[in-house]
Amino acid sequence: MTVTFENLPQAVSELHTKIDKLLHEKAEQKEADYLLTVPQLMDYLPDHPAAPTVYGWVRNNLIPYYKVGKKLFFKKGEIDAWLDAGRNKTDEELASEAIDYINGRRTR
């Protein structure tokens, strides 16, 4: 797009929108990369597990973690994905998947 005096307000508006989008994406990425310690993780998780529970998950590789020396860290974004992966589907989601599966099988 060539910027002229006539379309300058539109160009500035588009530029402002794109900058806002980039800043929002950068903030989300920074939040996803935020490192949690064990006590912070215990506070962050909905059921507030005890420290021995968290260490058991680490020992059995059930939770994504990073170890630097003797310290454990957890990336907030990976913990959110881990929580989402364990989410049970609703009846509506299961019914929709079943219908999609049946309809897919009929076309073969």
Side-chain angles (χ1 to χ4, degrees):
M1 171 177 162
T2 304
V3 179
T4 63
F5 185 75
E6 289 79 29
N7 67 4
L8 184 61
Q10 179 186 0
V12 170
S13 176
E14 288 179 22
L15 183 61
H16 186 270
T17 302
K18 289 179 181 180
I19 290 173
D20 281 348
K21 182 180 176 189
L22 287 171
L23 289 173
H24 181 70
E25 289 172 359
K26 176 126 174 110
E28 285 180 346
Q29 182 63 36
K30 187 175 181 180
E31 184 178 320
D33 288 342
Y34 182 75
L35 293 177
L36 301 169
T37 61
V38 173
Q40 290 171 326
L41 177 71
M42 291 168 23
D43 287 339
Y44 181 71
L45 291 175
D47 57 349
H48 304 290
T53 302
V54 172
Y55 289 119
W57 291 340
V58 168
R59 183 177 53 253
N60 293 316
N61 289 319
L62 297 175
I63 189 169
Y65 68 94
Y66 296 87
K67 189 170 184 181
V68 178
K70 293 184 176 184
K71 292 197 173 249
L72 288 174
F73 297 98
F74 307 87
K75 278 190 179 178
K76 184 181 177 299
E78 291 178 359
I79 295 302
D80 291 338
W82 177 71
L83 288 170
D84 287 342
R87 181 179 81 78
N88 290 331
K89 295 180 181 179
T90 65
D91 289 340
E92 292 81 21
E93 290 171 328
L94 291 171
S96 175
E97 286 182 7
I99 289 169
D100 291 345
Y101 177 78
I102 296 295
N103 289 338
R105 300 273 300 176
R106 287 185 184 159
T107 60
R108 291 182 187 170

